[in-house]
Amino acid sequence: MVRVAGAIDGDTIETEDGATVRLAAIEAPKALGFGDPAMAEAARAALDGLVAGTSISLARVGAGPDRYGRVHAQGFLPDGRWLQAVLAEAGLVRIRPLEGETACVASLLAAEDRARAADRGVWKGKRHDPLNPDDPSLLARSGLYELVEGRVLSVGHGSYMIFLDFGPVYRRDFTVMIPPPVAERLAEAGFPADSFEGRSVRVRGVIEESGGPAIRIHDPVAIEVLDGG
């Protein structure tokens, strides 16, 4: 158990012994790309209200502190509730697992879905709902973490990458890029690459330019099948 001094922002806390802890697998509004100053402060205040002055349990993830000196961890409140799930259910964060942070993430995604369906928190007014693959602003969002939701038109197989194409012009339309090791893991989970053709999916990741806008996924949890699987 660690004693919490307070929340630094909506997904980061400071312990009374001076450690900085980044809550794993989630992202709170930071007023850059995702959210605005008022939303960021509301998320910070909500987290602070949950943890400041209390003792919580931490389950550390990852090999060591990140480049900012923060420890990444799962948090558990004094009553046993999973802190990340509480924040996701309230719509105070969106799910953004880094490498090594994907354990039990399916339940966080489900909590995010419920918050979005209920129009809670960051999802209120649909301001941060998943983007359409034909949204003209996608390319301008290069470098930002986004959610994109739509139907896969076709699947292409390259020498070093598998491509889920969402439009007929692959050099212009939105594409999801799947490295072979990730494709193998998807196949093991019952989703071989070709099975995505014609399916409605939600993908999350950093927008990059690859002719048109694209997201390169690094873990199967980054893509969700929305129509029956």
Side-chain angles (χ1 to χ4, degrees), residues 175-193:
T175 300
V176 172
M177 301 186 292
I178 308 177
V182 179
E184 290 175 10
R185 292 172 62 192
L186 281 165
E188 291 169 0
F191 294 98

Side-chain angles (χ1 to χ4, degrees), residues 5 22 168 225:
R22 173 71 156 79
V225 177

Side-chain angles (χ1 to χ4, degrees), residues 47-59:
L47 177 57
D48 193 71
L50 284 167
V51 300
T54 67
S55 295
I56 68 171
S57 299
L58 294 176

Side-chain angles (χ1 to χ4, degrees), residues 16-116:
E16 288 190 350
D17 61 5
T20 302
V21 179
R22 173 71 156 79
L23 297 173
I26 60 173
E27 179 185 44
K30 296 293 198 312
L32 179 62
F34 174 47
D36 55 38
M39 192 176 289
E41 173 54 23
R44 188 210 62 79
L47 177 57
D48 193 71
L50 284 167
V51 300
T54 67
S55 295
I56 68 171
S57 299
L58 294 176
R60 187 166 173 169
V61 299
D66 62 20
R67 59 179 175 170
Y68 304 107
R70 304 172 303 185
V71 172
H72 288 227
Q74 305 289 355
F76 300 91
L77 294 167
D79 61 6
R81 289 179 297 162
W82 184 13
L83 184 52
Q84 278 90 329
V86 171
L87 297 172
E89 194 79 45
L92 295 168
V93 298
R94 63 182 177 182
I95 308 310
R96 185 178 182 176
L98 302 179
E99 185 177 356
E101 297 183 353
T102 58
C104 302
V105 77
S107 60
L108 292 181
L109 293 172
E112 181 191 85
D113 279 345
R114 290 191 292 271
R116 187 164 42 244

